[in-house]
Amino acid sequence: MSNVTTRFFRTGSAADPFRLRDGGEMGEVTLAYETWGTLNEDGSNAILLFHALSGSHHAAGFNPDIEAINGIWQPELHEGWWSDMIGPGLAIDTNRYFVICANYLGGCYGSSGPTSLDPETGKPLGSKFPHVTAADQVEAQARLLDDFGIGKLVAVIGPSVGGLLALTFATRFPQRVANVISIASGYKTTVLNRLVLFEQILAIENDPNFNGGDYYDAAPPLYGLALARMISHKTFVHLDAIEKRARQDVVQPDDVLAWYRVRDQFQSYMLHQGKKFVKRFDANTYLRINDMWSRFDGAQEGDAGSPEDLFARVKDAGQKWLVFSIDSDFCFYPEEQTELVSHLERAKVDVMHITVHSDKGHDSFLLEPNLYTPHIAWVLGRS
């Protein structure tokens, strides 16, 4: 696919602020986004895609630079994370559909976030940037769709954390969605995931350079963010895959901590993942998205009293759902998709549940497009 360019959508102002679910507000809000394909005249061929935790709006094609992001847009990000899924003749066929993906509020790839400048001080907002919820995220993206003149979507699609936002969009704006494709995601954050996320939050908060989130004019909390990434990475990649990858690595001579010298390939591999990550991500952004994920409850985000109330809207709107599980997933365990599907079935929603058999773990949706393509193409093709 050819080069793509990041664009920027702005909404809200000091006089008419963007109001947050938790009671706060923001002035002008910016969303960085990219699109693929051509929007038809009546805006009826659009698909909204939500990215994963540390992903970006750059889902397909090649983008070597994003305005005003400085060095954080590393070469490994230049190729879209789903280029094998989005494009002419692919599962999400851009000959037929107009696809749009936006970087989340709190993000570090062009959307309003902790690295954005405070108009009063001219310095990064840092700790002043508020907590954001899934409901806040989809409200901002609904405004982006309004700006395009898009009414009802062919589909909302989301892998991982993106699946939580796909669910939230579909239940907060049920009449705007025909199909929902949720990949390796869930309905409500589990206790286990909350604990794993809390470990990552503590890793960043306890870095001596964190300074409450106001570190942009000094050394950033690299050790804390690297440790957070290492904690999460073992849930994204199946342990067998980690073992295979680590055996290909060589222990580097500079792999030394304060006193401990890294002694095997597995430790070296995980440390390498952490070091690589801190070059392309911001610690405050990681905290904001983890916080959103940790607090996620589908009914709460949809302002519903129960799962039954929430998914009754989905049934009434005539939505059709495709839910993917990955049998080797240690991040969003297959039981989480089973819970989601059970809620949908009790509401008599048209739902198809596919279990992908993979040895790649949670990251299968990034690494094995052939396992997802036939089902996604079939669901979209019947629209």
Side-chain angles (χ1 to χ4, degrees):
M1 186 177 283
S2 60
N3 284 19
V4 289
T5 301
T6 293
R7 290 184 281 172
F8 301 91
F9 165 72
R10 294 175 175 85
T11 183
S13 65
D16 182 22
F18 182 86
R19 302 190 186 281
L20 301 171
R21 179 189 179 85
D22 286 349
E25 59 183 39
M26 300 170 62
E28 184 179 76
V29 165
T30 298
L31 287 183
Y33 71 94
E34 290 178 5
T35 66
W36 305 266
T38 302
L39 185 65
N40 60 17
E41 290 187 6
D42 61 1
S44 63
N45 69 330
I47 292 173
L48 180 62
L49 175 64
F50 294 100
H51 63 75
L53 163 66
S54 60
S56 74
H57 57 286
H58 178 48
F62 187 78
N63 186 347
D65 184 55
I66 296 179
E67 177 186 335
I69 289 192
N70 301 320
I72 203 168
W73 193 245
Q74 290 291 300
E76 67 181 279
L77 302 173
H78 295 178
E79 181 67 36
W81 53 268
W82 240 16
S83 286
D84 291 332
M85 294 286 283
I86 301 169
L90 298 180
I92 305 173
D93 188 353
T94 52
N95 288 332
R96 297 184 59 190
Y97 305 112
F98 175 74
V99 184
I100 184 166
C101 185
N103 186 218
Y104 298 151
L105 292 178
C108 54
Y109 296 135
S111 290
S112 294
T115 60
S116 300
L117 298 183
D118 184 339
E120 295 181 1
T121 65
K123 296 181 178 181
L125 286 165
S127 63
K128 292 183 180 179
F129 192 85
H131 295 263
V132 290
T133 65
D136 298 325
Q137 301 288 1
V138 303
E139 171 61 32
Q141 299 208 22
R143 294 190 185 190
L144 173 59
L145 297 182
D146 292 342
D147 192 62
F148 273 99
I150 297 169
K152 188 170 185 175
L153 293 159
V154 173
V156 289
I157 303 175
S160 189
V161 172
L164 305 179
L165 296 189
L167 183 155
T168 304
F169 192 98
T171 53
R172 290 190 70 87
F173 305 103
Q175 300 300 327
R176 298 190 71 167
V177 178
N179 296 283
V180 181
I181 300 176
S182 175
I183 305 172
S185 190
Y187 164 74
K188 181 180 179 179
T189 304
T190 65
V191 172
L192 176 60
N193 248 334
R194 290 185 184 191
L195 291 174
V196 173
L197 292 168
F198 188 50
E199 291 171 354
Q200 297 171 56
I201 291 167
L202 286 176
I204 294 172
E205 289 263 3
N206 282 287
D207 187 300
N209 293 332
F210 180 61
N211 193 34
D214 296 314
Y215 51 78
Y216 294 108
D217 58 353
L222 299 183
Y223 270 103
L225 181 57
L227 177 56
R229 183 60 172 183
M230 286 188 277
I231 292 169
S232 67
H233 189 74
K234 67 179 183 288
T235 72
F236 298 150
V237 181
H238 193 276
L239 294 179
D240 290 345
I242 288 178
E243 185 175 12
K244 290 177 184 176
R245 295 179 191 178
R247 284 177 173 170
Q248 299 170 7
D249 290 349
V250 176
V251 178
Q252 301 299 317
D254 61 344
D255 279 351
V256 180
L257 306 179
W259 65 269
Y260 181 78
R261 180 176 294 278
V262 173
R263 300 186 185 279
D264 63 45
Q265 290 99 326
F266 307 108
Q267 295 172 349
S268 182
Y269 168 78
M270 294 301 288
L271 188 58
H272 171 70
Q273 294 301 317
K275 287 180 175 179
K276 184 172 67 170
F277 185 68
V278 301
K279 295 178 181 178
R280 72 166 184 87
F281 217 73
D282 176 66
N284 275 325
T285 288
Y286 202 77
L287 286 178
R288 295 310 187 282
I289 307 302
N290 269 8
D291 175 56
M292 178 190 76
W293 179 4
S294 181
R295 293 190 289 158
F296 185 84
D297 179 311
Q300 181 177 343
E301 297 297 333
D303 295 322
S306 67
E308 291 77 16
D309 292 340
L310 184 74
F311 291 112
R313 308 170 190 171
V314 168
K315 167 64 176 175
D316 292 344
Q319 291 179 11
K320 297 176 181 179
W321 284 57
L322 171 60
V323 177
F324 283 101
S325 295
I326 302 168
D327 63 359
S328 57
D329 196 343
F330 292 162
C331 184
F332 283 87
Y333 282 79
E335 291 85 350
E336 297 185 57
Q337 295 90 56
T338 300
E339 178 192 22
L340 171 59
V341 170
S342 295
H343 289 317
L344 291 164
E345 289 178 339
R346 279 195 289 270
K348 302 189 184 308
V349 175
D350 184 343
V351 56
M352 179 167 60
H353 185 191
I354 301 292
T355 296
V356 170
H357 301 289
S358 170
D359 62 359
K360 299 292 192 295
H362 186 66
D363 278 358
S364 168
F365 72 86
L366 293 170
L367 303 173
E368 302 173 304
N370 58 303
L371 299 182
Y372 303 85
T373 291
H375 310 290
I376 293 174
W378 182 80
V379 166
L380 297 179
R382 70 183 181 179
S383 300

